[in-house]
Amino acid sequence: MQRIELQPGYEISRVIRGGWQLSGSHSATVSDDPVSDMIAFADAGITTFDCADIYTGVEDLIGAFRARYRNERGAEALSRIRVHTKFVPDLHMLPRIDKTYVEGVIDRSLQRLRMERLDLVQFHWWNYDVPRWLETAGWLRDLQKAGKIERIGGTNFDTAHMLAIIGSGVPMSSMQVQYSLLDRRPEKTLLAAARDRNVAIFCYGTVAGGFLGERWLGVPEPIPPFENRSLVKYKLVIDEFGGWDLFQEMLAALSAIARKHETDIATVASAAILARPGVSAVIVGARNRSHLASNLRIASLPLGADDMAMIDAVLARSHQLEGDVYTLERDTTGRHGSIMKYNLNDEGKGKAPLETARHN
């Protein structure tokens, strides 16, 4: 597994194990033993884990994994584990958010993850029209100075707002964004701005919720309802990209490349994004360890110029999604925004984390 040093003394695996698939808000089908799965990922070299305060039960699961990993592998092995969580205040909380609220959420994450200091907190803000986002970033900076947070990052901020946060004096270490062969909005302005300011880019959605996989090759366009909200979301992305027929051409190209390298479509799709200039890591969602071997290969897949030419030939006939990063999703009345859930912290209150992760 390739590793990258983002800052002196802070190294991560270039493939990050995502936690959204384990969330009780996402799917009813999860691993029977998620902690053992995390240990398998860590032992194999995927030592960085992504979660969020709004991923029901996932911070608690990672906290249990950390405790068991220390007991079974030792303190030195645990020191190589990195946990990236998020601070995502609910939409209805934005107008009345204050420093006490922010600190309470951070303290809760510390307790769930069983950490004395959070490695990285990735800040998300639903609505720029509620003007306290910059002040809230400053409160996270205060908590960093107090020793509760090691690094501050962002998730889904567009270029202008990322630069505003950095300009206010908040050191932005990273930005997590949706980036795939179907959704290339980060290429417009964000990647260059991040590179110039030494902001690492972490990419989610590289397999479009599973659409970039053999399951969808050569099949008719699906009709709702879909299995989960991720498929609903990424089907809209496919529509914007150019429709089902062009998407099938992309799958065919990726399938040919995958056969050449004796791997699968999802691995090729993620590797193609990881190879993009300015990308530090890709986040793979995994319900269990069944795809661990292919996840490991993402960072070392030798995509050549001929492989990329096949992909680029399809991309040349595709449409770019409108706006900067996450612009479409912020419009609560639009097709992309109307399917989002904006108050997931409230939805997760009072639920036992392990039970929620298994049964919701």
Side-chain angles (χ1 to χ4, degrees), residues 169-213:
V170 177
M172 187 72 70
S173 296
S174 63
M175 184 62 62
Q176 183 180 141
V177 293
Q178 182 172 296
Y179 187 17
S180 72
L181 295 173
L182 307 179
D183 178 5
R184 293 171 290 131
R185 285 176 289 177
E187 296 177 2
K188 295 180 180 180
T189 58
L190 183 74
L191 292 181
R195 181 194 60 231
D196 291 345
R197 290 155 183 83
N198 199 30
V199 176
I201 296 294
F202 305 147
C203 306
Y204 69 88
T206 59
V207 298
F211 271 117
L212 289 171

Side-chain angles (χ1 to χ4, degrees), residues 314-341:
V314 181
L315 292 179
R317 291 180 287 114
S318 68
H319 301 291
Q320 276 271 26
L321 271 69
E322 293 181 6
D324 204 328
V325 168
Y326 217 70
T327 298
L328 292 171
E329 292 84 351
R330 291 184 188 280
D331 179 5
T332 58
T333 63
R335 291 200 312 153
H336 295 264
S338 61
I339 66 170
M340 304 295 292
K341 288 190 176 183

Side-chain angles (χ1 to χ4, degrees), residues 290-309:
S290 61
H291 298 291
L292 176 55
S294 57
N295 293 158
L296 288 169
R297 197 172 181 201
I298 291 170
S300 59
L301 190 66
L303 295 178
D306 53 341
D307 298 323
M308 297 310 300

Side-chain angles (χ1 to χ4, degrees), residues 241-259:
F241 173 77
W244 195 252
D245 289 343
L246 187 62
F247 170 65
Q248 286 296 313
E249 292 186 39
M250 176 60 78
L251 284 183
L254 295 176
S255 179
I257 297 168
R259 290 195 302 272

Side-chain angles (χ1 to χ4, degrees), residues 40-251:
F41 272 78
D43 286 347
I46 297 178
T47 55
T48 309
F49 295 81
D50 180 80
C51 59
D53 55 340
I54 61 170
Y55 296 176
T56 308
V58 178
E59 285 185 323
D60 293 271
L61 287 172
I62 293 177
F65 151 69
R66 292 184 72 257
R68 184 171 153 192
Y69 203 69
R70 180 188 178 97
N71 290 337
E72 296 183 3
R73 302 292 188 270
E76 183 178 351
L78 181 64
S79 70
R80 295 191 290 271
I81 302 299
R82 299 286 182 250
V83 179
H84 298 171
T85 192
K86 302 181 186 71
F87 170 67
V88 187
D90 287 346
L91 178 63
H92 73 87
M93 278 297 304
L94 302 188
R96 57 183 187 274
I97 195 170
D98 58 21
K99 186 175 182 178
T100 300
Y101 173 85
V102 175
E103 186 167 16
V105 174
I106 296 303
D107 285 344
R108 185 181 64 187
S109 291
L110 285 166
Q111 181 180 22
R112 288 171 170 175
L113 291 165
R114 309 186 197 186
M115 302 178 75
E116 296 181 358
R117 181 171 55 193
L118 298 174
D119 291 333
L120 174 69
V121 173
Q122 301 164 106
F123 173 37
H124 175 84
W125 191 263
W126 291 111
N127 185 357
Y128 296 140
D129 291 335
V130 182
R132 309 195 78 174
W133 53 272
L134 195 58
E135 192 173 7
T136 302
W139 291 329
L140 290 171
R141 172 61 167 158
D142 291 342
L143 293 172
Q144 183 183 42
K145 292 178 180 178
K148 294 189 176 185
I149 299 171
E150 181 70 24
R151 289 165 182 80
I152 298 171
T155 182
N156 297 325
F157 277 94
D158 61 26
T159 308
H161 290 83
M162 179 189 76
L163 294 177
I165 292 174
I166 294 171
S168 73
V170 177
M172 187 72 70
S173 296
S174 63
M175 184 62 62
Q176 183 180 141
V177 293
Q178 182 172 296
Y179 187 17
S180 72
L181 295 173
L182 307 179
D183 178 5
R184 293 171 290 131
R185 285 176 289 177
E187 296 177 2
K188 295 180 180 180
T189 58
L190 183 74
L191 292 181
R195 181 194 60 231
D196 291 345
R197 290 155 183 83
N198 199 30
V199 176
I201 296 294
F202 305 147
C203 306
Y204 69 88
T206 59
V207 298
F211 271 117
L212 289 171
E214 279 77 9
R215 171 187 173 188
W216 299 100
L217 177 62
V219 303
E221 185 169 3
I223 299 173
F226 296 110
E227 179 184 352
N228 54 56
R229 283 191 301 115
S230 289
L231 292 177
V232 176
K233 178 176 77 168
Y234 289 110
K235 177 56 170 62
L236 292 176
V237 170
I238 290 170
D239 294 343
E240 302 277 354
F241 173 77
W244 195 252
D245 289 343
L246 187 62
F247 170 65
Q248 286 296 313
E249 292 186 39
M250 176 60 78
L251 284 183

